[in-house]
Amino acid sequence: MRSTIRLFLLSLCLAHAAFAASSFDEVLKKQQGLTLGGMASVTDFKVTVGHMTITLPAGSVSIVKGGEEQVGLFLNGPGTFTYETVNKDELTVFQYNAKTNDQTVRGSTVQESFKSVLLRGNGLPEVTAGAGSSATEAFNSLRQTFARQQLADPAEHLLVMAAMNAPQARVVRADIEGASRPYVYLYDDAWTHQELFSLLRHPESRINKDSSWYYTTILSMQAIGRKERVAAPVHVILTDLDVNLVNTDKDDGKMTIVETLVPQGRAARALRFDLYSDYFFDINREPKHFYVRSVTDEAGNKLPFHHERGSLLVGLGQPAEAGKPVKLRFEIDGDFLHHPEGSQYWELGIEPWFPSLPIEHHYFTYHALVKVKKPYNVFTSGKTIRRESDGDWNILESKLDLPVDAIAILAGKYQFDEETQNGVTVRVASFVVKNAQAYKTLRGLAHAAIETYPTFLGPFPFDEITVIEKNDYGYGQAPAGLVFITKEAFTPKLGDANAFVQGINRRFAHEIAHMYWGHVVKTGSEQDQWIEEAFSDYSSALFLKMVGRKGEYDKALVNWKSDARDGNRVTIIPMANHISNPGDPLSRAIARQGLIYAKGAYLLSVLHRELGDAQFLTFLKSFQKSFRWKRGTTDDVMGLLQFMTKKDYGPWFEEYFYGTAMPK
């Protein structure tokens, strides 16, 4: 029996090697054109992959073929599956997500019944198939269900990537037609190096609420081949982004995008990007569209690609060697320049409007040339090379020579004014009408922050900052060199031009602090996002204290401690981005903010009190200096604290950061 299994596994390895030797189109066609082969009746059939076990007490197993090759198995039940998380960090959020998604969890385990399962990948059990009654009807029904999964990569893309780039790595996807709802299990040791267990559910919002669409809720993410608190290896880096964009008419645009990419650790024969295809920006509206017209290499050769469900897969003509740059040119058009609620502006923000990698793979310099029809003005990240008019067009060219991971472009009916102090230009843009008082006040606050932050964070990183009014309320955002801030920041209280709505000063200073925390020092992974948000929040409170607004600092301390309790009731700081509550998204947002922002900042305030002003401010500046234009992790925070104080902060972080306790 062992010899038989060895021969079967060898045949699967050879099949994947054959995939790797095949062309992009051939491999993709095999993964898309699935058919059923022979079938076997089975009893007590079991498949275990990672922490997922699928059991079929009695039923049938069919060979799934792509062309003439076996690419998977189809199990026709009824049966059961069991999934267990052994990641202690995610146990609380695993249980919370299950509860808010009407899923039963027993301790660390989910067990449910299923009607059928489609397994694709390598390392699957041997099945001796013969003739029998067909399972085609059940197979087609399952395929139709999972074709309705939205905002998720097509399964074929990862399988093609694995076959072409890492044929020896184990990759298995299970589409599970549960007795009451669908599930997806993914074991990916080729790209993300993690296993995912998700359930699918119909949308709670008004977007096609009565449709048959499914959205994905991740219940569990566990590392493969690495410690849970260590980020996955990066296999390709985006090192340069060049955008040429023309707003041809209303929502229509054309883009030529040239990207420089560098494979890491291994050669690449295919690359996968996030890129919107059909996307709903507004509820109850028709989707917007991104159409990829061509992808070419540096020599102008056309490359094969497949663009579907927000995922773009590109086959390379020649393997891209590890460590050697490869340039790709993308021609994209569509009606993707969305005007929110018909407003007189559009935005391409921190989202996949250009072929994007996971943000941990972004270290890119940036050049942009953007043309918009008058009376629109346009703004983007980077230092202005030229801003000019040409007939009916307003034109902006911008360049950024620093390795950033998030940029944006925004255009609309904006008025703006700018001023340069100490080598840094601050530009303030108001929506539709001029707002001289807001220009003066926000420029003053920005320049004060830009002059103060270097005293405890080091040199200010950008030559230009553009502050842009968003036609909305209650938030801010900071792509590289930009500050998006909502309209209350542009509306001072009557009689006091400097007294903004409660909290707006700190929110504005928080976004300026993001030029350090998020751009100079980037987050190591989503578990480390508190380094962007909590450090920015604490830096903004310190700034206000330093410029004579100690009351705002004291108020922030009270709010952080109070808000942290909302998050502590759900999970721990590193799991905040995994919280799911589709029936109550506001509660989800409050819990997430209570952890990544509030509890993180409160922990920094406790460290500040313990270390004292001089040592704590040295710690902040040293962290910025040590990880300038790099990614910082929580381990790096602990390491620097230990180096400076000669104290082991591991137990402290274990209790308060990786636990739900609050320091007094």
Side-chain angles (χ1 to χ4, degrees):
M1 180 65 180
R2 289 180 180 175
S3 297
T4 303
I5 292 174
R6 287 196 191 99
L7 287 171
F8 177 72
L9 293 178
L10 177 61
S11 70
L12 278 172
C13 289
L14 290 174
H16 270 251
F19 270 167
S22 301
S23 73
F24 174 88
D25 289 331
E26 290 171 336
V27 179
L28 179 61
K29 185 177 180 180
K30 288 171 184 176
Q31 290 294 342
Q32 289 179 319
L34 301 184
T35 59
L36 291 185
M39 185 180 73
S41 296
V42 297
T43 57
D44 297 325
F45 185 82
K46 184 178 291 188
V47 181
T48 298
V49 182
H51 296 92
M52 169 68 75
T53 298
I54 299 170
T55 304
L56 186 58
S60 68
V61 178
S62 302
I63 301 294
V64 178
K65 301 180 73 176
E68 296 302 316
E69 297 181 26
Q70 178 176 338
V71 296
L73 299 172
F74 179 66
L75 285 60
N76 198 17
T80 60
F81 70 85
T82 302
Y83 177 84
E84 180 183 17
T85 178
V86 295
N87 177 4
K88 68 174 185 176
D89 287 346
E90 79 164 5
L91 182 58
T92 52
V93 76
F94 178 68
Q95 294 171 335
Y96 176 86
N97 288 351
K99 179 180 179 181
T100 58
N101 284 275
D102 305 317
Q103 178 71 56
T104 301
V105 172
R106 293 177 176 84
S108 59
T109 302
V110 168
Q111 185 175 66
E112 293 289 345
S113 58
F114 68 81
K115 294 182 283 187
S116 60
V117 177
L118 170 60
L119 287 164
R120 281 177 281 180
N122 54 358
L124 301 177
E126 179 183 5
V127 173
T128 304
S133 58
S134 174
T136 300
E137 184 177 346
F139 178 73
N140 290 341
S141 175
L142 179 144
R143 295 283 280 160
Q144 289 169 8
T145 294
F146 287 89
R148 299 194 293 268
Q149 184 183 3
Q150 297 296 312
L151 303 179
D153 302 343
E156 296 80 11
H157 285 194
L158 175 61
L159 294 165
V160 171
M161 281 272 289
M164 299 196 74
N165 294 347
Q168 306 306 320
R170 193 175 193 196
V171 175
V172 176
R173 173 173 167 131
D175 293 344
I176 305 171
E177 184 74 81
S180 59
R181 63 173 64 174
Y183 300 83
V184 173
Y185 171 77
L186 180 64
Y187 185 97
D188 171 21
D189 199 18
W191 181 245
T192 62
H193 301 281
Q194 64 186 8
E195 53 181 320
L196 294 177
F197 174 55
S198 308
L199 60 81
L200 306 187
R201 59 181 300 146
H202 293 301
E204 298 286 340
S205 73
R206 287 182 286 153
I207 303 177
N208 288 341
K209 188 171 183 179
D210 298 326
S211 78
S212 57
W213 285 9
Y214 287 105
Y215 288 89
T216 305
T217 295
I218 297 174
L219 296 180
S220 173
M221 301 172 65
Q222 301 192 74
I224 299 173
R226 58 188 169 90
K227 294 180 180 179
E228 292 289 354
R229 297 176 184 177
V230 176
V234 171
H235 293 300
V236 63
I237 292 176
L238 173 61
T239 61
D240 186 70
L241 173 67
D242 190 289
V243 177
N244 190 317
L245 167 63
V246 180
N247 183 185
T248 53
D249 182 45
K250 296 182 180 177
D251 290 0
D252 295 339
K254 285 187 175 182
M255 292 190 290
T256 298
I257 295 174
V258 179
E259 297 188 352
T260 303
L261 302 127
V262 183
Q264 304 291 303
R266 69 188 186 201
R269 298 184 65 232
L271 294 173
R272 196 206 70 81
F273 304 90
D274 294 319
L275 176 66
Y276 285 148
S277 44
D278 300 338
Y279 190 74
F280 287 93
F281 286 91
D282 278 348
I283 57 177
N284 294 335
R285 297 287 181 97
E286 291 298 313
K288 298 308 208 178
H289 306 90
F290 291 74
Y291 299 112
V292 180
R293 301 304 182 184
S294 71
V295 183
T296 54
D297 63 18
E298 194 168 6
N301 300 308
K302 287 193 173 183
L303 300 177
F305 65 89
H306 186 253
H307 186 210
E308 182 183 11
R309 283 197 273 174
S311 179
L312 173 64
L313 186 66
V314 178
L316 304 179
Q318 297 293 328
E321 296 181 38
K324 293 190 176 181
V326 57
K327 280 192 176 183
L328 299 182
R329 180 187 181 96
F330 306 86
E331 300 290 346
I332 301 169
D333 61 40
D335 58 347
F336 52 78
L337 298 173
H338 166 63
H339 292 70
E341 302 295 337
S343 188
Q344 298 179 84
Y345 79 94
W346 53 258
E347 175 190 349
L348 298 174
I350 304 177
E351 52 195 339
W353 55 265
F354 63 91
S356 305
L357 299 169
I359 198 165
E360 298 86 13
H361 301 220
H362 284 180
Y363 289 88
F364 58 82
T365 52
Y366 174 62
H367 173 262
L369 179 61
V370 186
K371 294 177 63 176
V372 298
K373 289 284 184 70
K374 294 178 179 178
Y376 276 24
N377 278 307
V378 60
F379 309 95
T380 189
S381 302
K383 186 174 182 178
T384 301
I385 297 174
R386 61 185 171 113
R387 180 184 289 277
E388 60 188 27
S389 297
D390 183 7
D392 293 335
W393 299 93
N394 280 329
I395 302 170
L396 173 65
E397 185 175 6
S398 178
K399 188 172 179 59
L400 189 59
D401 292 324
L402 302 167
V404 298
D405 59 12
I407 49 87
I409 303 174
L410 182 146
K413 283 192 174 181
Y414 279 90
Q415 308 290 330
F416 66 92
D417 189 43
E418 62 186 53
E419 181 181 67
T420 301
Q421 292 183 16
N422 300 321
V424 180
T425 299
V426 175
R427 182 180 301 109
V428 182
S430 56
F431 189 53
V432 181
V433 297
K434 289 184 177 181
N435 189 336
Q437 185 59 64
Y439 297 160
K440 179 181 177 181
T441 305
L442 291 173
R443 276 202 317 264
L445 187 56
H447 279 301
I450 291 167
E451 291 173 8
T452 304
Y453 282 143
T455 63
F456 61 93
L457 297 178
F460 193 74
F462 297 102
D463 295 323
E464 292 186 14
I465 293 292
T466 302
V467 180
I468 304 173
E469 180 182 10
K470 293 299 294 291
N471 190 31
D472 206 341
Y473 288 100
Y475 71 90
Q477 196 176 44
L482 301 175
V483 172
F484 296 154
I485 196 80
T486 45
K487 60 174 64 177
E488 64 269 28
F490 285 74
T491 311
K493 287 182 179 178
L494 187 63
D496 185 355
N498 294 310
F500 284 103
V501 176
Q502 181 179 1
I504 195 63
N505 287 318
R506 186 158 62 86
R507 189 192 313 161
F508 183 76
H510 171 107
E511 302 307 332
I512 299 288
H514 268 314
M515 301 305 139
Y516 290 93
W517 305 109
H519 294 299
V520 175
V521 176
K522 302 165 177 58
T523 187
S525 71
E526 62 177 11
Q527 296 187 23
D528 299 308
Q529 196 183 0
W530 78 296
I531 293 175
E532 292 184 6
E533 299 300 352
F535 279 68
S536 290
D537 225 28
Y538 197 71
S539 295
S540 67
L542 279 178
F543 156 67
L544 290 171
K545 183 179 181 181
M546 288 178 175
V547 296
R549 293 179 176 267
K550 184 177 181 298
E552 295 204 39
Y553 175 87
D554 294 337
K555 187 181 296 183
L557 285 177
V558 174
N559 291 339
W560 288 330
K561 189 172 184 179
S562 174
D563 294 347
R565 296 191 184 100
D566 295 321
N568 269 342
R569 284 191 282 265
V570 176
T571 187
I572 59 179
I573 292 175
M575 292 293 114
N577 283 314
H578 298 178
I579 299 171
S580 170
N581 191 342
D584 188 359
L586 179 59
S587 292
R588 184 259 180 196
I590 290 172
R592 177 183 175 274
Q593 183 153 331
L595 292 166
I596 291 177
Y597 293 73
K599 186 176 181 183
Y602 180 71
L603 294 184
L604 291 175
S605 75
V606 174
L607 289 170
H608 187 174
R609 207 158 49 238
E610 178 181 320
L611 299 179
D613 283 346
Q615 194 170 37
F616 182 77
L617 297 182
T618 298
F619 157 71
L620 293 180
K621 183 177 279 191
S622 297
F623 199 84
Q624 278 286 323
K625 183 177 180 180
S626 298
F627 296 95
R628 190 168 179 81
W629 306 114
K630 298 177 183 177
R631 298 204 174 275
T633 68
T634 304
D635 278 351
D636 296 326
V637 173
M638 289 189 284
L640 181 57
L641 285 170
Q642 181 170 337
F643 175 79
M644 291 179 60
T645 65
K646 311 307 177 190
K647 173 184 174 181
D648 180 8
Y649 273 87
W652 192 91
F653 273 80
E654 202 65 40
E655 184 174 5
Y656 302 125
F657 181 82
Y658 292 106
T660 56
M662 287 283 287
K664 295 182 180 178

